[in-house]
Amino acid sequence: MQLGTRRLLDRAFSGLGFISIGLMAASLLVILTPIFVRGFGAFVFQGTIEFRRMQLERFERGDRDEIEAELTTARRARQPVYEMLDAFDTEMGEMGFLERREYEGPREELEDALRELLGPRPEDPVPVMARDQYGATRWDRAREKIDLVLYRTEYDYSDRTRMGVPVSVPRVEDFRGTALEALFDYVELHATEMLRPRWTLYLRFLTDHSIDAHFFGGIWPEVLGTLYLTLGAMIFALPMGVVSAIYLVEYAGEGRLISLLRTFISTLAGVPSIVFGLFGLAFFINTLKITESKSLLAGSLTLATLVLPTVIRASEEAIRSVPTTYREAALSLGASKWRAIVTVILPASLPGILTGVVISMGRAAGETAPIIFTAAVSVGKALDFAKVKFWETLSEATPALPWNIYNLATEHEAVDEIRHVQFGMVFTLVMLVLILNATAIFLRARISKKLRG
Amino acid sequence: MEAPAFDLNIPEARADVPESAPQEHPHILARDFSVFYGSNAAVRQVTFNIPRGLVTAVIGPSGCGKSTFLRAINRMNDLIPGCHTRGELIFGDQNVYGPQIDVAALRQRVGMVFQKPNPFPKSIFDNVAYGPHILGIRDRRKLAEIVERSLMRAALWEEVKDRLSDNALGLSGGQQQRLCVARALAIDPDVLLMDEPTSALDPRSTTRIEDLIAELRGTYTIAIVTHNMQQAARVSDFTAFLYEGWLIEFGLTQQLFTRPKEKQTEDYITGRFG
Amino acid sequence: MEREQSPDREQSPDALAARRSDLLMSARASRAKRVVAFAGQSLLFLLTSSSAIVVLFIFYFIFKDALPFFQLRSLGEFLGSNRWYPTASPPEFGSLAIFLGTGLVTLGSIVLAVPLGVSAAVCLSDILPFGLRQAVKPVIEILAAIPSVAYGFFALVVFAPLLQESGGRLLSVAVWLVGVPICGLIVIVLSESVAARLPSEQRAGGRIVAMLLLGVLTVWGLYRASRGAAGLEIVSGTNALNVSIILGIMALPTVVSVSEDALQAVGRELREGSYALGATRAETILRVVIPAAGSGILAAVILGIMRVIGETMVVWMASGNAAQIPDPWYNFLEPIRTLTATIAGDMGEADHVTGSARYHVLFAMALSLLAISFACNLASEWVVRVQRKKLKG
């Protein structure tokens, strides 16, 4: 081949490498950006007066007088809407039967849409479900609700070869010439006065309990459940992993039994996580009967078996990287082997072991499949070791971030209504894992510093 | 045999060491002693005595088994898989490789300083206190006493007395090596083994270690492995020359360096090989 | 033992001397010590082998609960039929479609992850300067650290609607993005080989003509392909394509880091030998480094496959969970269903107290998964051993 072409091919080859790395970085960016941006929106958003009312009534937060004054102002702005509805009702009373029948459906739909936007009318009885007691608490939701008030969706079936195409039809057309005709312009123009959106920092999203299946409130039970499951897994996996690593590095020879043991450990590392879930169910719950059904304990044990090989491998590496000279120095001073391990080798390898542990914690925190059958429930209150007996709390099932992300995103009855909660959960989980990984990187940097002096 | 061109300055203090010292005051006796790595012999049927309270140097080209011999004395070779010995190595009145020897107790009497300074990544105080701590001394005041005395003996006290709680890895290489000496002295051993203690140090630190050896001479039995012949000549009373595992020659340092009996010794000390 | 007394020595604290144990142990003490050491080691061994015991337990329990299925129903039904109606009466448990679903997704993601991952690894180990490499490492670490449920959520909530609404356009852009560099390379190589056959005085002209011809042909082909892709209508965003892309991204860190290790293990001497013969970097890597690291890269691919096959959340959330064989079988735009998702999804509904066939079929699937991953694990270990032997001598 010609030299010029060879050089060109060489360049192109490097270019392909750069493109791959670029694609990898881009996919990371593409995945993280919506999670970060919209997840951030669970904490910082434009809250309406309904949000502040909810916070006041449910969590007793905010200045009562101020909020009530604001609520009065907002209700005054809403008054014309209700007056128009009432006027229309009188108008309908005067209509003939057939004409009235025609208006009844649309009016019903309109009132429902308005209720979703503004909440129940002040003079109505308080609804049972919390989700019905408040209007739109977030301005981004409110804007969608305003669209629901202004437009209704119809399907266009004119092209028979395809599925129906949704078309938005202004509701104002339904009420031409009635008392309600002016309502739509009014809602569109005065929405901000009726709801009074304001930038809100809702940090307590993290530490609030949830109200009415995550319609309002925060994600504390999930966060706490994840933390407990992770810690529980580490309590079992850390000592086992470190002891195994000590044995493998310091005592085990090169025998056939040991190499078999190593194969087993790497097999354990490759077992699919869902199989761990089945194993946890079949072994810890159905066979050992450590608890009657799903529980924090069973979930922790299952996660512990999952992260055990990771902990062993990391600890092994950390112990192996301790210079032999330390070992020799300790032994030459008359220390027994075990003593040398405990007093010199383990302290020196501690940062390395911790690095592995922290990374394993990230893995345990994010795993979903193993806890589906062993620990996780979709709705539950935050675990509280202080109030109930220790054992009882251990044998309770718990919500956990990964499971509830799945649950809220697929099985919740109003998936679209609580997108912000889902994104908030994903954001929290990803941040948790990233913080753990950053800690690991920090620890790793410290090791090299410490070992080199 | 022509006299080797070797400049030798024997200090006054060592001029009157009798040639018979190893026979009269033996501390460590090797009798037909061999060390094997698997089937390879690293030390072959070595026989000589290390005299009590004096400094004995072991020299020889690299790979001659001198470090292996030294590490055999406090059984550090036990760490190496496949390593075994034949013959006798007697410390005091006990065979070091006897069946009932308590290796930990042996190592508490035979301290060791390694080629590279190897302080633990702990504070200076904890480094020195490590040995006494193992012996069960927990009293902080008593430990402080031992630490101070050991650091003084190792001529390091003045330099570190204000920063005993600093990490030992922050010391310079020479200071680290003296710390290792202090650490070995803290359990008050009878014997101090030094495995090329200055090979990783600069000349000034080397001088300080050599001065230290001179000071410790008389109090401890010292065996030092070195491939620096000048150093062996400067610090030792007796010298053993090992070559390919065999003991070629053993005798008063002065004699070995000025009037070697063996051709190989002469070749080595005159720099013809090694 | 007699001691030489020196003034310095007399200060030696009695505390130390008293605490020193005797050099000689009594026979009893020595035996006791040996017993303690042996007991300690045995205890350590037992604790260590508990992970082996866990593996055996996993195999045992999965097998134990899978066996009744094959007694209740037949293996032929399990693997030979694609009629999956676990709740009908009588129920049917043909899992062929589910196995094929797993295979399809694995295939798709590996086709994405391996070229991308290996070329990224090559770039990391041989092309990028040290500083940049350090900057790319965290990207890989973060990709590996993101929990699978977050990937699944992204696939379901962000990616699936995007595919559904503008999937055709996305695909046509992808056709151009992937096609242009690859086809460009092919055009250059082809026209070069055409030119090589011509007599030397016509070579330069022939090369240009061939390049132009092939170039026009390629652009036309790509245009047709992208038009075709743009015209595609994606009925549901939760389909095999979606899942394959996301799983491919998830497998990337494994593929990249393992194959980078393999490439790094190829010594500098080998590379320098090739450079010394006048080879360019690309030729060195393609002809010398990659063949030498071949089995290591194979291990990376196997580990990537393991990661993909065992993944649950992404496929459960975003594959559409339809137990059907796509038509035609390689149609990635149709929803599919995988083994892991079936286990996760059906376990909650299967009655695990009475032990119905529906409960046991899930264990039979888990057993299949376990067998596959065990085989992959053994294969990768074997491959790594071969690699190590090859590099050693």
Side-chain angles (χ1 to χ4, degrees):
Chain A
M1 255 189 251
Q2 212 190 25
L3 192 65
T5 325
R6 284 175 58 197
R7 205 172 288 150
L8 187 67
L9 280 176
D10 189 42
R11 295 260 165 79
F13 183 77
S14 306
L16 279 183
F18 283 117
I19 289 176
S20 322
I21 289 200
L23 273 178
M24 197 163 70
S27 54
L28 179 67
L29 207 66
V30 165
I31 288 170
L32 281 187
T33 307
I35 290 177
F36 272 47
V37 171
R38 294 191 59 183
F40 197 62
F43 294 89
V44 179
F45 54 91
Q46 282 186 292
T48 64
I49 178 65
E50 294 292 309
F51 176 78
R52 293 187 279 281
R53 181 162 75 92
M54 184 271 289
Q55 286 279 303
L56 179 70
E57 288 176 12
R58 296 283 167 165
F59 297 99
E60 290 175 8
R61 278 182 208 139
D63 185 341
R64 179 172 291 273
D65 296 335
E66 204 176 294
I67 292 172
E68 268 167 9
E70 205 185 353
L71 191 61
T72 319
T73 327
R75 285 202 168 133
R76 205 172 301 137
R78 294 173 192 180
Q79 203 49 42
V81 173
Y82 296 131
E83 277 166 12
M84 278 183 248
L85 266 181
D86 290 341
F88 182 66
D89 282 349
T90 1
E91 216 173 296
M92 265 170 72
E94 289 158 8
M95 285 175 193
F97 175 72
L98 281 178
E99 206 181 348
R100 194 163 64 211
R101 277 281 303 269
E102 210 166 284
Y103 278 118
E104 255 167 15
R107 188 208 164 277
E108 220 31 51
E109 266 182 38
L110 177 66
E111 199 178 5
D112 286 345
L114 277 172
R115 198 181 298 124
E116 280 188 35
L117 177 66
L118 302 173
R121 285 174 76 157
E123 57 272 23
D124 285 354
V126 178
V128 184
M129 304 276 272
R131 68 188 76 165
D132 299 330
Q133 289 170 16
Y134 304 97
T137 53
R138 299 165 57 96
W139 184 238
D140 53 351
R141 297 298 312 154
R143 283 226 288 267
E144 284 173 37
K145 302 291 180 195
I146 292 171
D147 275 353
L148 274 185
V149 171
L150 299 181
Y151 305 96
R152 64 188 160 79
T153 310
E154 273 189 359
Y155 284 88
D156 175 14
Y157 291 104
S158 54
D159 183 355
R160 287 178 169 263
T161 58
R162 309 178 68 180
M163 290 201 300
V165 182
V167 187
S168 290
V169 182
R171 278 187 207 274
V172 67
E173 302 298 332
D174 299 348
F175 299 99
R176 278 270 176 248
T178 67
L180 282 181
E181 193 180 343
L183 179 135
F184 300 96
D185 278 346
Y186 182 84
V187 168
E188 203 167 6
L189 286 175
H190 298 274
T192 44
E193 286 147 60
M194 293 191 293
L195 285 166
R196 312 184 66 83
R198 193 193 298 160
W199 280 105
T200 311
L201 177 64
Y202 184 28
L203 282 181
R204 289 228 170 114
F205 175 72
L206 201 63
T207 55
D208 276 347
H209 58 269
S210 100
I211 293 167
D212 193 6
H214 285 291
F215 265 89
F216 309 116
I219 56 172
W220 186 235
E222 286 78 15
V223 173
L224 206 60
T226 298
L227 291 180
Y228 280 143
L229 279 171
T230 312
L231 285 179
M234 270 8 252
I235 286 174
F236 293 113
L238 177 62
M240 288 292 291
V242 173
V243 165
S244 303
I246 289 174
Y247 180 78
L248 287 174
V249 178
E250 299 286 339
Y251 291 95
E254 293 289 314
R256 193 168 288 172
L257 196 65
I258 301 303
S259 89
L260 190 70
L261 199 59
R262 285 180 192 280
T263 307
F264 271 125
I265 292 173
S266 71
T267 307
L268 190 62
V271 171
S273 54
I274 185 80
V275 176
F276 276 105
L278 283 188
F279 166 71
L281 172 70
F283 182 59
F284 294 123
I285 296 177
N286 288 354
T287 307
L288 287 186
K289 297 203 171 24
I290 52 164
T291 51
E292 263 169 47
S293 64
K294 293 178 183 180
S295 67
L296 180 59
L297 184 61
S300 300
L301 282 169
T302 310
L303 284 175
T305 55
L306 177 104
V307 295
L308 186 59
T310 323
V311 177
I312 293 179
R313 220 170 270 174
S315 314
E316 234 190 301
E317 216 164 279
I319 292 173
R320 229 180 267 282
S321 70
V322 174
T324 352
T325 56
Y326 289 176
R327 224 158 295 191
E328 287 182 338
L331 292 176
S332 79
L333 291 170
S336 63
K337 186 165 185 178
W338 180 248
R339 183 124 194 189
I341 290 169
V342 172
T343 55
V344 175
I345 295 173
L346 276 189
S349 57
L350 194 65
I353 293 175
L354 279 183
T355 310
V357 164
V358 165
I359 287 178
S360 316
M361 281 174 81
R363 172 117 195 263
E367 275 294 346
T368 321
I371 60 171
I372 301 174
F373 318 124
T374 57
V377 285
S378 26
V379 186
K381 48 185 198 319
L383 292 176
D384 189 352
F385 278 104
K387 283 199 185 130
V388 209
K389 272 189 203 144
F390 188 71
W391 176 252
E392 278 172 29
T393 314
L394 270 187
S395 51
E396 241 177 83
T398 174
L401 280 174
W403 166 251
N404 285 66
I405 290 168
Y406 167 79
N407 189 264
L408 290 192
T410 59
E411 290 174 0
H412 194 271
E413 63 260 43
V415 170
D416 287 327
E417 294 286 325
I418 52 160
R419 277 282 180 244
H420 60 282
V421 181
Q422 298 160 15
F423 272 103
M425 278 187 186
V426 177
F427 175 68
T428 310
L429 182 63
V430 170
M431 280 312 280
L432 179 69
V433 171
L434 289 188
I435 288 171
L436 283 173
N437 274 270
T439 316
I441 290 170
F442 171 76
L443 278 173
R444 213 178 299 153
R446 274 199 53 155
I447 306 172
S448 32
K449 219 169 150 193
K450 200 170 175 188
L451 283 183
R452 281 175 207 139
Chain B
M1 196 178 282
E2 59 179 304
F6 202 86
D7 176 34
L8 198 63
N9 291 314
I10 301 291
E12 293 291 310
R14 297 220 308 272
D16 56 348
V17 172
E19 198 178 347
S20 58
Q23 268 61 50
E24 283 166 15
H25 304 285
H27 202 170
I28 296 163
L29 303 85
R31 292 282 170 273
D32 259 348
F33 184 68
S34 311
V35 183
F36 299 88
Y37 293 124
S39 56
N40 291 342
V43 174
R44 299 164 199 259
Q45 298 169 16
V46 166
T47 302
F48 72 104
N49 296 352
I50 294 177
R52 185 182 295 272
L54 296 176
V55 180
T56 304
V58 184
I59 60 169
S62 40
C64 71
K66 54 189 193 296
S67 278
T68 306
F69 175 74
L70 197 75
R71 291 164 60 96
I73 299 176
N74 67 346
R75 291 185 61 168
M76 286 309 282
N77 286 332
D78 290 9
L79 297 181
I80 299 162
C83 180
H84 59 102
T85 63
R86 202 176 292 160
E88 278 187 318
L89 189 69
I90 294 161
F91 167 62
D93 48 5
Q94 295 299 330
N95 186 354
V96 167
Y97 287 87
Q100 286 174 12
I101 284 290
D102 182 344
V103 179
L106 170 74
R107 288 177 184 153
Q108 280 160 11
R109 294 184 192 193
V110 184
M112 187 156 192
V113 177
F114 296 84
Q115 196 164 357
K116 263 194 198 154
N118 58 352
F120 301 127
K122 298 171 185 270
S123 72
I124 294 171
F125 184 93
D126 287 345
N127 260 285
V128 183
Y130 185 83
H133 202 263
I134 284 176
L135 283 172
I137 297 174
R138 297 283 187 274
D139 181 358
R140 190 79 188 166
R141 237 193 18 239
K142 213 170 269 170
L143 281 177
E145 216 174 279
I146 295 174
V147 168
E148 180 177 346
R149 198 185 47 247
S150 309
L151 284 172
M152 274 189 175
R153 256 188 223 165
L156 190 62
W157 174 251
E158 288 302 320
E159 291 159 61
V160 301
K161 64 182 177 190
D162 300 324
R163 46 183 180 133
L164 288 176
S165 53
D166 286 7
N167 192 331
L169 295 176
L171 295 175
S172 75
Q175 288 174 323
Q176 285 188 12
Q177 194 61 301
R178 275 180 283 148
L179 179 68
C180 291
V181 174
R183 187 176 61 185
L185 295 182
I187 47 169
D188 200 29
D190 302 332
V191 178
L192 198 57
L193 307 175
M194 300 179 122
D195 187 0
E196 304 197 21
T198 60
S199 65
L201 303 183
D202 59 70
R204 188 177 293 175
S205 305
T206 302
T207 311
R208 300 211 57 167
I209 296 285
E210 287 177 6
D211 291 349
L212 182 56
I213 294 172
E215 267 168 54
L216 297 174
R217 177 181 173 268
T219 316
Y220 302 92
T221 302
I222 295 175
I224 176 170
V225 159
T226 176
H227 59 226
N228 177 345
M229 281 170 286
Q230 263 84 0
Q231 184 171 61
R234 279 196 298 268
V235 301
S236 72
D237 302 291
F238 287 89
T239 300
F241 171 58
L242 262 62
Y243 181 62
E244 289 186 344
W246 304 102
L247 176 71
I248 305 298
E249 191 171 347
F250 175 71
L252 271 175
T253 301
Q254 199 171 2
Q255 282 175 10
L256 190 128
F257 278 100
T258 51
R259 294 183 299 277
K261 294 193 189 88
E262 305 290 332
K263 181 82 175 67
Q264 277 162 309
T265 316
E266 190 192 332
D267 287 349
Y268 180 64
I269 59 183
T270 50
R272 246 168 248 166
F273 70 91
Chain C
M1 235 192 301
E2 183 205 12
R3 259 195 183 183
E4 194 171 349
Q5 293 294 320
S6 70
D8 190 24
R9 207 56 186 273
E10 272 167 300
Q11 294 171 3
S12 154
D14 293 333
L16 274 173
R19 277 168 197 277
R20 267 206 250 181
S21 47
D22 226 352
L23 202 56
L24 269 190
M25 294 181 290
S26 67
R28 214 161 131 203
S30 137
R31 201 163 43 235
K33 202 162 186 175
R34 242 175 297 153
V35 167
V36 167
F38 181 76
Q41 275 212 43
S42 311
L43 183 71
L44 282 179
F45 177 76
L46 276 182
L47 284 173
T48 308
S49 47
S50 62
S51 19
I53 295 170
V54 167
V55 173
L56 291 178
F57 272 23
I58 289 178
F59 272 92
Y60 170 71
F61 277 100
I62 302 296
F63 191 74
K64 191 189 82 175
D65 271 338
L67 203 58
F69 173 77
F70 297 109
Q71 289 164 347
L72 290 169
R73 322 284 301 192
S74 72
L75 184 67
E77 180 192 353
F78 185 55
L79 291 176
S81 144
N82 64 351
R83 295 180 57 81
W84 174 258
Y85 298 109
T87 49
S89 58
E92 291 185 65
F93 298 102
S95 311
L96 185 63
I98 297 173
F99 275 93
L100 279 180
T102 295
L104 196 65
V105 183
T106 308
L107 183 74
S109 51
I110 287 306
V111 162
L112 270 175
V114 167
L116 211 60
V118 172
S119 57
V122 166
C123 194
L124 272 178
S125 80
D126 279 76
I127 298 174
L128 280 188
F130 182 77
L132 262 175
R133 204 182 308 163
Q134 293 311 97
V136 175
K137 282 264 159 80
V139 172
I140 301 169
E141 274 171 27
I142 294 173
L143 271 178
I146 295 177
S148 56
V149 73
Y151 279 110
F153 183 76
F154 174 85
L156 175 69
V157 173
V158 183
F159 197 42
L162 198 68
L163 264 184
Q164 199 162 336
E165 275 160 32
S166 43
R169 256 169 293 154
L170 276 180
L171 281 179
S172 70
V173 171
V175 164
W176 282 109
L177 273 181
V178 177
V180 167
I182 292 177
C183 294
L185 276 183
I186 294 174
V187 164
I188 294 174
V189 174
L190 273 183
S191 53
E192 191 60 41
S193 67
V194 166
R197 283 156 197 250
L198 296 174
S200 58
E201 62 269 19
Q202 296 172 6
R203 219 166 260 177
R207 186 182 301 121
I208 290 169
V209 170
M211 252 187 214
L212 275 176
L213 270 175
L214 284 169
V216 168
L217 209 70
T218 323
V219 169
W220 179 73
L222 282 176
Y223 175 74
R224 286 296 302 268
S226 83
R227 276 292 296 274
L232 280 176
E233 200 171 319
I234 298 178
V235 179
S236 163
T238 53
N239 55 28
L241 179 69
N242 181 339
V243 173
S244 296
I245 292 174
I246 302 294
L247 285 180
I249 294 173
M250 288 175 75
L252 264 183
T254 313
V255 176
V256 173
S257 52
V258 178
S259 38
E260 200 215 333
D261 284 347
L263 292 169
Q264 295 264 338
V266 176
R268 227 183 46 210
E269 300 80 7
L270 220 56
R271 292 182 167 91
E272 281 171 354
S274 167
Y275 286 131
L277 293 174
T280 61
R281 185 155 61 187
E283 287 159 353
T284 303
I285 292 169
L286 286 175
R287 300 234 172 102
V288 178
V289 180
I290 290 183
S295 44
I297 293 174
L298 188 61
V301 175
I302 295 174
L303 290 175
I305 290 176
M306 271 169 81
R307 173 109 166 93
V308 171
I309 288 184
E311 176 48 46
T312 310
M313 294 319 288
V314 173
V315 283
W316 192 18
M317 291 169 92
S319 70
N321 286 328
Q324 52 153 12
I325 298 177
D327 175 39
W329 65 268
Y330 51 81
N331 187 352
F332 272 89
L333 299 178
E334 279 191 30
I336 45 97
R337 186 183 186 127
T338 68
L339 292 169
T340 49
T342 310
I343 298 172
D346 282 24
M347 199 63 200
E349 287 143 45
D351 184 357
H352 60 255
V353 184
T354 56
S356 59
R358 191 173 178 207
Y359 172 73
H360 293 302
V361 73
L362 300 178
F363 277 86
M365 288 179 177
L367 186 64
S368 321
L369 276 177
L370 205 52
I372 296 171
S373 69
F374 185 59
C376 283
N377 198 22
L378 286 186
S380 78
E381 269 191 19
W382 179 76
V383 157
V384 166
R385 213 172 304 142
V386 167
Q387 159 97 350
R388 207 170 289 153
K389 223 176 257 171
K390 199 164 92 182
L391 282 184
K392 262 187 192 161

